[in-house]
Amino acid sequence: MKTNYWKLLLLLCGGWWFVALLSCSDEKDVIVYAPEETDGTGGKTDGGKTGSTTTRKVNQFIAEYMKELYLWTSSVDWQEIKPADESDPFVFFGKLIYSADRWSMLTDDLQGVTNEFEGVSTTFGHVLIFGRFSNSDALFAIVLYVYPDTPAERAGVKRGDIFLTINGEEITEENYIDLYYAPSLVVGRGILTDQGIAFDDQAFSMKAETLYENPIIKDTVIVKGAHKIGYLCYTDYTMESENALMALFARYKSQDVTDVVLDLRYNGGGFAQTSVLLGSILAPAAVVQRKDVFLTQVRNNAWMEYLQKEKIDINDYFTDTLSVNMDLKRIFVLTTENTASASESTLVGLDPYMDVVRIGTATHGKYYGGGLFSDEGSKDIANWGMYLMIYRFDNRNGTTALAGAGGLAPDIEVEEDYFPLYPFGDERDPLLGTALEVITGQPAQTRSGKSPHPYTILQTERRGVLVGKMIQTNTNRETSHSLEMVR
């Protein structure tokens, strides 16, 4: 292996930016959002100039890194690849991507992407799904959740709220992205009635702010007889949240919590070390004391031969969290198709050591790790970067080779009901209520009645650059785990 130094972050990715619709019919009516006009590779179509020095350097960067590191490098006939003949880096990148790879991407805004990986963005702080009225082209939005201490929360926006207008106008396919990216908003609210969604006289005024979005959305202890059940709704694996997670579980431990319900239904991923930390907090204490294997990695053939020859260990191991370790033998995890990648790695990593009870619907099914690469040796392309799939993760037993097999199936299947959405921690929520029933053996609080509204959820993937990613920050330079990589 040559000795060049690259700047990178390693991630597990389930998708780029995506906004979906709900529909009142059975038609699969979906809007896909990309931040600017793209060619499907995640970058701007006008980023490279035909024949320019920048274009040639970017193309060479793409070819060099993909040939050596890409998990599916064997799918490319590299003898036929001529980077100097390609006029558009984004089109060139797209030609090299394996047909089943929905996650690798190219960007000419590396700094912006890096900022969002760290959980910092200009935002209102709400996360939405969308629907369409059956008798018009107008859309509506439903608030899945609100990050704490954000403009949306301060404006009074809550989970389950319905948005009907933007600045006095109907929500349409032309303006719906303003709900995420406008500098300011006045949003008209709707209410759910027996007849459907109706206008309310309340409006929310918000101004976007650049801030860190705290992924600890809700934590509480629910007491049911002899059971003290610690509930946590967690939406992104960010390193910034690690101290708060440690403090939260220290509090749960001091309160003698007996069971834990981990709500990952909207968690699309984040940092690998945070997944390892959370797994280490929840796992049996003996596993953590031994520092057993949490996850393994499978790279492309050339890398696997090199790692085996050099006897380089690329496993992730449980880390010392014994001061707050819950020493659980069983955990309940709430999942949906939005539970992706780093979230799935927590479930996969814990599975050999404890009973991981999944409640909800199947997870996203993304078991690949990627790296955000840049070539710091060339100032001309310093803000170009490439997010590239370079490995598949597995558990200690090597029995979770689920690529292409779909997501992790639930042990207990429960569909989320969006009409209405109950607050996190409310046992009327069908997913949490089911977990409480299994834990206590007693029926959960009765819901107010089955939703009479025939809206069909088509897809509910979140917008956001952290969706489906797992970012590794280990410091072993030889194994490409680190911020500085040797190849």
Side-chain angles (χ1 to χ4, degrees):
M1 295 281 173
K2 295 180 288 185
T3 307
N4 290 334
Y5 295 88
W6 298 344
K7 188 75 171 181
L8 65 89
L9 293 172
L10 290 181
L11 318 98
L12 292 178
C13 174
W16 190 231
W17 294 347
F18 182 92
V19 175
L21 295 178
L22 315 181
S23 174
C24 299
S25 70
D26 292 330
E27 297 179 2
K28 292 188 177 298
D29 188 6
V30 177
I31 288 178
V32 178
Y33 170 69
E36 301 194 33
E37 184 180 354
T38 73
D39 60 359
T41 60
K44 305 175 195 174
T45 57
D46 60 354
K49 298 180 179 179
T50 303
S52 70
T53 300
T54 297
T55 296
R56 290 194 296 272
K57 288 183 177 181
V58 172
N59 289 346
Q60 188 60 39
F61 156 69
I62 292 169
E64 181 181 349
Y65 283 39
M66 288 191 69
K67 182 177 181 180
E68 184 165 331
L69 291 172
Y70 191 40
L71 179 61
W72 294 287
T73 186
S74 61
S75 69
V76 180
D77 184 354
W78 289 106
Q79 291 185 343
E80 297 298 319
I81 300 303
K82 309 295 183 185
D85 295 342
E86 298 289 339
S87 61
D88 187 326
F90 293 104
V91 173
F92 177 50
F93 181 80
K95 291 179 179 179
L96 303 179
I97 295 299
Y98 180 58
S99 60
D101 181 2
R102 308 188 305 275
W103 312 285
S104 296
M105 53 81 65
L106 181 71
T107 181
D108 59 1
D109 184 20
L110 181 64
Q111 187 58 55
V113 172
T114 301
N115 288 343
E116 290 211 37
F117 283 163
E118 295 171 353
V120 177
S121 63
T122 301
T123 180
F124 297 111
H126 52 228
V127 175
L128 311 171
I129 53 174
F130 290 84
R132 187 191 300 278
F133 292 106
S134 59
N135 58 353
S136 76
D137 291 331
L139 309 179
F140 60 90
I142 301 174
V143 179
L144 292 178
Y145 61 93
V146 178
Y147 285 102
D149 195 25
T150 58
E153 185 187 60
R154 292 192 289 272
V157 178
K158 301 183 298 297
R159 171 171 164 81
D161 279 339
I162 300 171
F163 295 165
L164 292 182
T165 63
I166 302 174
N167 299 326
E169 299 181 354
E170 289 185 336
I171 302 172
T172 67
E173 292 185 17
E174 286 69 40
N175 68 6
Y176 77 98
I177 60 173
D178 289 345
L179 288 169
Y180 280 123
Y181 297 107
S184 62
L185 285 175
V186 177
V187 180
R189 194 179 80 160
I191 57 174
L192 190 64
T193 70
D194 290 341
Q195 288 73 43
I197 297 172
F199 280 95
D200 189 16
D201 58 3
Q202 183 175 355
F204 303 107
S205 296
M206 296 173 276
K207 183 177 180 180
E209 298 177 13
T210 300
L211 47 77
Y212 166 72
E213 292 173 315
N214 180 1
I216 299 178
I217 305 298
K218 175 70 176 180
D219 66 273
T220 189
V221 175
I222 303 168
V223 179
K224 290 280 189 179
H227 295 272
K228 292 184 178 180
I229 303 157
Y231 169 83
L232 169 63
C233 179
Y234 187 56
T235 59
D236 305 282
Y237 284 76
T238 66
M239 291 192 294
E240 184 73 18
S241 68
E242 291 180 3
N243 288 338
L245 287 174
M246 294 282 284
L248 186 158
F249 281 100
R251 187 169 72 251
Y252 282 0
K253 189 169 184 176
S254 70
Q255 293 176 282
D256 297 320
V257 162
T258 57
D259 306 270
V260 171
V261 177
L262 180 62
D263 192 340
L264 299 179
R265 75 181 83 182
Y266 304 129
N267 193 313
F271 283 78
Q273 75 170 48
T274 311
S275 175
V276 175
L277 176 78
L278 184 57
S280 300
I281 290 171
L282 300 169
V287 171
V288 177
Q289 287 175 327
R290 294 193 303 265
K291 291 184 168 56
D292 283 347
V293 171
F294 185 68
L295 291 174
T296 63
Q297 295 182 18
V298 177
R299 306 289 183 94
N300 66 40
N301 290 339
W303 263 102
M304 293 305 293
E305 290 175 6
Y306 171 74
L307 294 170
Q308 291 167 7
K309 178 182 177 182
E310 299 297 323
K311 296 182 172 56
I312 296 173
D313 186 354
I314 57 173
N315 292 334
D316 291 315
Y317 294 87
F318 287 92
T319 189
D320 185 2
T321 56
L322 292 173
S323 63
V324 299
N325 174 260
M326 300 300 294
D327 193 23
L328 298 173
K329 304 300 184 290
R330 179 180 68 169
I331 184 171
F332 296 85
V333 186
L334 310 185
T335 66
T336 66
E337 63 181 355
N338 298 309
T339 306
S341 203
S343 292
E344 291 169 305
S345 79
T346 300
L347 310 186
V348 169
L350 288 174
D351 187 69
Y353 304 101
M354 60 191 301
D355 188 9
V356 180
V357 182
R358 298 184 294 274
I359 297 173
T361 53
T363 64
H364 185 77
K366 173 60 184 60
Y367 312 103
Y368 300 108
L372 181 62
F373 298 90
S374 67
D375 187 350
E376 292 191 327
S378 178
K379 294 182 180 180
D380 293 344
I381 61 171
N383 208 34
W384 284 82
M386 183 167 51
Y387 174 56
L388 198 63
M389 296 297 101
I390 62 174
Y391 69 93
R392 174 177 56 79
F393 70 80
D394 215 331
N395 67 18
R396 178 193 68 178
N397 300 329
T399 57
T400 319
L402 298 173
L408 301 169
D411 298 293
I412 304 172
E413 185 168 6
V414 181
E415 293 282 347
E416 185 164 38
D417 188 352
Y418 293 89
F419 302 97
L421 284 173
Y422 290 97
F424 293 118
D426 189 322
E427 66 182 82
R428 291 175 296 174
D429 167 46
L431 278 69
L432 175 58
T434 300
L436 297 179
E437 289 180 358
V438 176
I439 292 170
T440 65
Q442 300 296 321
Q445 182 176 334
T446 303
R447 290 167 56 94
S448 58
K450 185 178 180 180
S451 168
H453 307 289
Y455 301 110
T456 301
I457 307 297
L458 298 179
Q459 295 194 49
T460 59
E461 290 196 54
R462 290 173 44 198
R463 145 264 186 237
V465 75
L466 274 179
V467 172
K469 295 178 174 62
M470 183 160 129
I471 308 163
Q472 295 222 18
T473 54
N474 299 19
T475 57
N476 185 344
R477 298 169 69 182
E478 287 188 288
T479 65
S480 75
H481 268 59
S482 62
L483 292 180
E484 291 289 328
M485 175 179 175
V486 180
R487 73 172 176 93

